[in-house]
Amino acid sequence: KLQPNSFFFQKGVQCEHIALVGSGSVRVYVVSESGREVTLYRVQPGETCPVNILSAMVGMDTPAIAITEETLDAVVLPVGIFRKWVAEYPIVQQYVFEAFAKRLSNMLSLLEVISFKKMDQRLAEFLLGQFESSDMDPPVAKVTHDRIAVELGSAREVISRILGDFERTGLVELERGRIIQKDKAMLNKRVNN
């Protein structure tokens, strides 16, 4: 059991156990030399972390950081037991391969987005995802400019500038720690331009 904002693992360490998440979530990310963060993926209930598996099974240092976002309950298995299960049980092999396939696909999509989409498109897409999970009318994203910058691997100043543009053109309304959706159709148009 780990409390929110606890390290699941840090960059450059070797994992000695494999964790299977029961509840809570873990954000796996990398940090550039300048201090900017890019979220690679999140580990949710019923999932395991490929970086954790890779580090433990191969004995390599972790290339990323993982931190809990909410209280985490997980089953922690010694690597020896997990190796035995992978060798003996096809269902465990399939679980591991599916975990790696899902994350590889997610990271290729992330690479495509970072490489080929402009930041205003990425921000509009991010906001639409946040608004989708809102139960308010109009939809509200309870998120700071700093948090968005971390999620999108950008600088806070860039995010604030684009959000200011979105507000001036009537797409959103900005409040402290909140962004209110004003024009979903135009946000969708920004994603596809």
Side-chain angles (χ1 to χ4, degrees):
K1 185 175 191 107
L2 291 174
Q3 295 305 310
N5 299 314
S6 299
F7 283 106
F8 187 67
F9 55 77
Q10 295 189 34
K11 183 177 180 177
V13 300
Q14 281 188 18
C15 298
E16 297 177 8
H17 298 84
I18 308 283
L20 305 173
V21 175
S23 66
S25 68
V26 176
R27 182 172 74 99
V28 180
Y29 62 99
V30 291
V31 180
S32 72
E33 288 182 16
S34 66
R36 289 193 12 213
E37 299 177 10
V38 174
T39 301
L40 300 176
Y41 57 85
R42 284 181 166 76
V43 183
Q44 303 292 340
E47 298 178 340
T48 190
C49 174
V51 171
N52 174 224
I53 292 174
L54 189 62
S55 175
M57 296 285 284
V58 179
M60 66 177 272
D61 292 346
T62 56
I65 301 165
I67 194 162
T68 57
E69 294 186 302
E70 47 193 83
T71 301
L72 181 80
D73 285 312
V75 174
V76 180
L77 303 167
V79 71
I81 289 174
F82 195 75
R83 274 194 187 116
K84 184 178 180 203
W85 287 0
V86 169
E88 292 180 11
Y89 302 107
I91 190 82
V92 177
Q93 292 171 9
Q94 181 178 348
Y95 176 78
V96 170
F97 285 127
E98 285 176 1
F100 275 93
K102 177 181 177 184
R103 296 308 177 197
L104 180 59
S105 177
N106 290 350
M107 286 192 283
L108 289 173
S109 294
L110 175 64
L111 181 61
E112 181 181 335
V113 165
I114 289 171
S115 299
F116 303 120
K117 280 193 176 179
K118 294 185 289 183
M119 186 53 68
D120 65 327
Q121 292 174 298
R122 294 175 57 205
L123 179 55
E125 189 170 41
F126 174 82
L127 289 174
L128 286 167
Q130 294 292 305
F131 294 143
E132 193 72 29
S133 62
S134 174
D135 58 359
M136 301 177 81
D137 188 26
V140 173
K142 295 178 183 175
V143 64
T144 65
H145 296 198
D146 285 330
R147 186 81 241 146
I148 296 170
V150 166
E151 289 295 319
L152 298 181
S154 185
R156 185 197 54 76
E157 295 79 13
V158 171
I159 299 302
S160 294
R161 180 180 51 77
I162 296 170
L163 283 172
D165 177 54
F166 283 7
E167 185 173 45
R168 279 187 298 283
T169 56
L171 306 178
V172 299
E173 179 182 330
L174 302 177
E175 293 182 356
R176 186 170 183 83
R178 295 169 25 116
I179 302 169
I180 302 162
Q181 178 180 285
K182 290 297 181 185
D183 192 333
K184 183 178 181 178
M186 287 304 291
L187 273 173
N188 274 313
K189 192 172 181 181
R190 290 297 284 260
V191 170
N192 299 312
N193 280 343

